[in-house]
Amino acid sequence: MFKAMYNQAKLSFTVEPVTPLLIRSGREAFDPTRPDLEFIRIGSPYGQVVYIPGSSIKGVMRSYAEKILRTLGLWTCDISETKGSCAEKKQTEGKFPYEKHCYACRTFGSTELASRLRIVDAYPWRWDMTEGQRRESLARIKTDLRPGVAIDRKKGTVKAGPFELEVVSTGTFYGDILLRNFQLWQLALVALVVRDIDEGYQQLGLAKSRGLGRVRFKVDSLELMQLGPLFQREEICGVGEVEGLNDCYDLIKEDMMDKPSKLQTAPDGLFRRRFIPGEGDKSEEVWAEFAKALLKSQNWQNLLKEGKKIGNYP
Ligand SMILES: [Zn+2]
């Protein structure tokens, strides 16, 4: 769907561990000098470095977003069960599979539908930092080893272990959340997920139930872009404002809001209109103001009022 581009959002975020964080690499450690459960690494100009794959953040964001949608009584499938998930139903019938997908799949995608949302891998530096800043940022990352055991639930004895967990205890990871051709309610949903992860209601990585993975999760810069038919619009618009799309895609109505005071806008001469924080305004505060406004937007209110309910859908 949406072969053209109408709008884009880039939310640059930081992840900082509050309690030790372990994002596990898929491969087993055969090297006996390495810990049993290693933090995932990737090759970089600075050698092998720890990082957080976008997919592991996206997975956590999706399952948390599903919980929010279900709590609001809105249509959400369960992708962990093949039976009953949107992808499992015959989505290819008909021209517009988008409208046959639940609100979670419409945002995070399914095997039959491309995702509106992408997450760029989070590295221990931001790519626009100077060489010196990158090295400094990388030097702030500290890894530790923690002993771990698996307890037999019935007997209360040690079932496996002790083994070693490699965790990151300090430092900052930098990544981006990208949304393309979104409706305002989807950005509002992302804002709720980001808020709750930052407040500690959802952890990242392994051994969450044992206290690991509590992080600070902050949007520290943002940029919105409107193109094509939305290029001239000075309000912030979702794709619901593009004429003719509503009927094809079963979009939520009234997909626009006034620009928050701290976002500046101008066409930038390249046939796109950008919205960015005003000079001297802290991006974090701009995001906080914007996130609040999104939850008051008519589009989010309409989703709550008129969105398809769990009970109405098979
Ligand atoms: Zn679904």
Side-chain angles (χ1 to χ4, degrees):
M1 70 170 274
F2 294 142
K3 292 204 170 78
M5 270 195 293
Y6 302 107
N7 66 5
Q8 303 205 68
K10 181 165 83 174
L11 311 176
S12 300
F13 64 83
T14 56
V15 175
E16 284 180 13
V18 174
T19 63
L21 174 68
L22 171 54
I23 310 288
R24 197 189 166 185
S25 91
R27 70 188 169 83
E28 295 291 325
F30 289 116
D31 180 349
T33 64
R34 300 293 308 159
D36 304 300
L37 292 178
E38 265 189 283
F39 205 102
I40 188 164
R41 282 180 168 70
I42 194 165
S44 79
Y46 312 103
Q48 292 282 317
V49 295
V50 291
Y51 80 114
I52 309 178
S55 55
S56 60
I57 296 175
K58 190 180 170 194
V60 167
M61 286 185 73
R62 180 184 181 124
S63 67
Y64 198 82
E66 285 176 3
K67 286 190 183 76
I68 292 175
L69 289 168
R70 275 189 211 107
T71 305
L72 296 170
L74 292 162
W75 179 31
T76 315
C77 78
D78 189 347
I79 48 161
S80 64
E81 295 191 16
T82 40
K83 232 181 146 195
S85 77
C86 297
E88 188 256 354
K89 286 182 230 142
K90 284 262 177 267
Q91 294 297 342
T92 41
E93 284 169 20
K95 205 172 164 198
F96 300 110
Y98 188 79
E99 60 176 339
K100 295 183 190 127
H101 277 82
C102 74
Y103 295 111
C105 288
R106 287 185 195 196
T107 307
F108 295 92
S110 78
T111 52
E112 302 287 329
L113 189 74
S115 178
R116 303 285 98 217
L117 178 142
R118 285 174 200 187
I119 306 221
V120 178
D121 293 343
Y123 279 69
W125 60 79
R126 203 178 276 307
W127 287 98
D128 60 10
M129 286 176 172
T130 64
E131 179 74 20
Q133 288 169 331
R134 286 190 205 177
R135 288 184 185 279
E136 251 173 58
S137 183
L138 182 57
R140 281 198 294 274
I141 295 275
K142 295 265 179 298
T143 58
D144 293 317
L145 292 178
R146 270 173 72 116
V149 287
I151 302 290
D152 186 304
R153 284 184 189 215
K154 275 191 193 144
K155 296 181 200 148
T157 53
V158 173
K159 195 164 77 178
F163 44 82
E164 276 184 320
L165 312 177
E166 186 193 30
V167 296
V168 169
S169 48
T170 57
T172 308
F173 295 93
Y174 301 84
D176 297 315
I177 298 170
L178 303 172
L179 275 152
R180 181 177 294 164
N181 289 343
F182 58 87
Q183 287 215 269
L184 294 185
W185 68 261
Q186 292 172 307
L187 206 48
L189 182 63
V190 167
L192 285 178
V193 174
V194 169
R195 179 197 71 185
D196 284 9
I197 294 176
D198 183 53
E199 289 182 357
Y201 293 104
Q202 174 64 54
Q203 294 78 41
L204 298 186
L206 232 69
K208 293 194 264 285
S209 61
R210 275 174 274 163
L212 266 59
R214 162 77 168 102
V215 296
R216 296 312 305 263
F217 190 41
K218 299 262 182 228
V219 170
D220 75 341
S221 91
L222 71 151
E223 181 176 323
L224 305 175
M225 216 177 272
Q226 292 179 185
L227 307 108
L230 302 180
F231 169 59
Q232 296 294 355
R233 298 285 296 268
E234 289 188 14
E235 310 91 1
I236 292 175
C237 296
V239 286
E241 290 299 298
V242 178
E243 218 173 294
L245 287 187
N246 270 319
D247 302 335
C248 304
Y249 295 116
D250 180 34
L251 301 178
I252 302 293
K253 306 272 180 319
E254 294 177 81
D255 205 5
M256 54 166 269
M257 62 187 265
D258 287 336
K259 177 185 78 58
S261 60
K262 286 182 173 156
L263 273 181
Q264 306 294 313
T265 179
D268 75 352
L270 294 166
F271 305 103
R272 53 182 198 179
R273 173 180 290 279
R274 289 168 82 213
F275 294 84
I276 50 173
E279 225 167 287
D281 279 324
K282 273 192 163 168
S283 291
E284 206 181 295
E285 286 165 19
V286 179
W287 167 249
E289 182 197 20
F290 183 36
K292 241 183 236 167
L294 278 166
L295 294 169
K296 285 193 185 135
S297 73
Q298 200 55 50
N299 195 246
W300 177 254
Q301 299 302 327
N302 284 352
L303 175 79
L304 301 187
K305 252 189 293 174
E306 293 155 24
K308 293 195 170 81
K309 302 292 184 287
I310 293 169
N312 294 349
Y313 248 74

